[in-house]
């Protein structure tokens, strides 16, 4: 990099399009404004959350149905910049973030049956 006049410790440039100032992310970020509720519902084809545009239109979230036979946990939270909700859910559910394809799981089940 030095032969091209670049210093990895200083990647800030006058032109915004070519500037790479960088920055560090926090290792641990706690979500704020965490709220949750358990809701009962019957139709798994309806949305249990509102989109941003629905919120702007003033619509209200679907209510829990006393007679609903299905249950869901509805979460609301705020994360800081450069934080990802997928990582929050991975930690919350204590799951890996590896990509698992349905065929891979089927293959493992079939192999387990053979042994």
């Amino acid at each position: 990099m030095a032969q091209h006049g670049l210093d990895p410790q200083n990647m800030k440039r006058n032109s915004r399009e070519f500037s790479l100032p960088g920055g560090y992310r926090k290792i641990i970020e706690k979500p704020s404004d965490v709220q949750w509720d358990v809701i009962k519902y019957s139709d798994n084809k309806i949305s249990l959350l509102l989109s941003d545009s629905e919120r702007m239109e003033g619509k209200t979230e679907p209510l829990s149905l006393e007679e609903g036979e299905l249950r869901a946990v509805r979460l609301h939270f705020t994360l800081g910049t450069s934080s990802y909700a997928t990582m929050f859910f991975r930690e919350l559910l204590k799951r890996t973030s590896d990509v698992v394809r349905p065929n891979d799981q089927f293959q493992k089940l079939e192999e387990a049956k053979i042994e």
Side-chain angles (χ1 to χ4, degrees):
M1 292 179 79
Q3 69 189 25
H4 298 290
L6 299 173
D7 176 8
Q9 302 302 316
N10 182 14
M11 297 299 284
K12 205 169 203 173
R13 302 286 175 261
N14 291 334
S15 175
R16 186 175 185 181
E17 290 133 7
F18 302 111
S19 183
L20 300 169
Y24 290 99
R25 292 185 185 168
K26 294 180 180 180
I27 292 177
I28 297 174
E29 178 79 23
K30 289 178 78 175
S32 60
D33 307 320
V34 178
Q35 299 173 14
W36 62 275
D37 60 330
V38 177
I39 57 174
K40 292 181 179 182
Y41 62 103
S42 295
D43 185 357
N44 63 1
K45 293 181 183 172
I46 63 165
S47 178
L48 302 175
L49 298 172
L50 296 177
S51 67
D52 289 341
S53 61
E54 289 172 326
R55 285 185 193 283
M56 290 172 40
E57 292 169 0
K59 293 185 178 178
T60 57
E61 288 185 333
L63 298 174
S64 185
L65 305 173
E66 284 296 322
E67 67 279 354
E69 63 260 6
L70 303 171
R71 286 190 219 165
V73 175
R74 185 166 39 198
L75 293 170
H76 296 272
F77 56 91
T78 302
L79 293 173
T81 56
S82 296
S83 297
Y84 297 94
T86 52
M87 296 295 107
F88 173 70
F89 285 117
R90 182 191 75 180
E91 293 301 316
L92 184 68
L93 299 172
K94 302 294 183 201
R95 299 288 176 117
T96 178
S97 56
D98 294 343
V99 175
V100 178
R101 297 179 304 233
N103 288 342
D104 291 347
Q105 287 183 336
F106 180 76
Q107 182 68 28
K108 287 178 184 176
L109 287 172
E110 288 300 310
E111 289 171 1
K113 287 179 187 176
I114 294 171
E115 294 173 1

